[in-house]
Amino acid sequence: MARPKRNLLATAQATSSPPASLDDNHAIACVRKAEGKNLYLVELPKRPDPLLVEMPARFRSQIWVKPGGYVLIDTAAFLDRDNKLDGEIVNIVREEKEWRKQSYWPPEFAKKSTYPEDSDDEESTVGKMPPTDDSDAQG
């Protein structure tokens, strides 16, 4: 039997807005890879080694996370258990623009331009005619 639609709408509403502040054991992480059944390999901004986190049951089969997406994780969720999990996903960043405006958003996850930066020594050729070969015109 399928879950009621009200559960899906409640989960979507809960993940649509960022919290006002983060707890000490919460961090924003970038999803690198799906490792299997509800397990994700995530990367923290100031930590070179990735973490393995679990997606709780309330998000499973309701909200999907793609590689390169962002999640809010709780690193203290599994401290009392002896296993390979490093944390649990607390929230999924869906409205990234709203989350980026928050003061706790890591500067390492700043949005990168899709176009390379223009250098000063090169001149833009947008809207200009292609160069002509003067030797052909004189010859």
Side-chain angles (χ1 to χ4, degrees):
M1 193 167 165
R3 291 182 179 174
K5 193 171 187 176
R6 67 180 177 270
N7 289 351
L8 174 64
L9 294 175
T11 303
Q13 180 66 26
T15 61
S16 65
S17 61
S21 64
L22 297 182
D23 294 341
D24 292 337
N25 53 354
H26 287 181
I28 295 177
C30 183
V31 176
R32 289 294 162 217
K33 183 178 172 187
E35 284 290 321
K37 192 163 179 85
N38 306 312
L39 297 177
Y40 291 89
L41 204 60
V42 299
E43 184 178 278
L44 290 174
K46 295 178 181 169
R47 196 167 168 175
D49 54 329
L51 302 175
L52 187 65
V53 296
E54 180 184 30
M55 181 178 285
R58 70 182 180 128
F59 293 132
R60 294 177 190 166
S61 300
Q62 292 188 14
I63 297 178
W64 282 264
V65 180
K66 62 181 180 178
Y70 297 100
V71 293
L72 182 64
I73 63 169
D74 182 5
T75 54
F78 295 112
L79 287 179
D80 56 339
R81 292 170 38 185
D82 187 29
N83 59 12
K84 62 182 180 178
L85 294 176
D86 296 313
E88 180 182 35
I89 295 175
V90 178
N91 203 341
I92 299 170
V93 177
R94 291 181 51 230
E95 298 290 332
E96 191 175 320
K97 196 178 227 184
E98 294 297 318
W99 284 75
R100 286 184 183 278
K101 293 177 184 176
Q102 301 298 323
S103 61
Y104 51 77
W105 186 265
E108 293 84 2
F109 291 151
K111 191 143 183 114
K112 296 177 179 76
S113 175
T114 55
Y115 300 105
E117 293 295 322
D118 292 332
S119 61
D120 293 335
D121 57 348
E122 289 184 22
E123 204 175 301
S124 176
T125 59
V126 175
K128 295 182 180 177
M129 294 292 292
T132 60
D133 192 11
D134 291 335
S135 62
D136 289 341
Q138 293 175 358

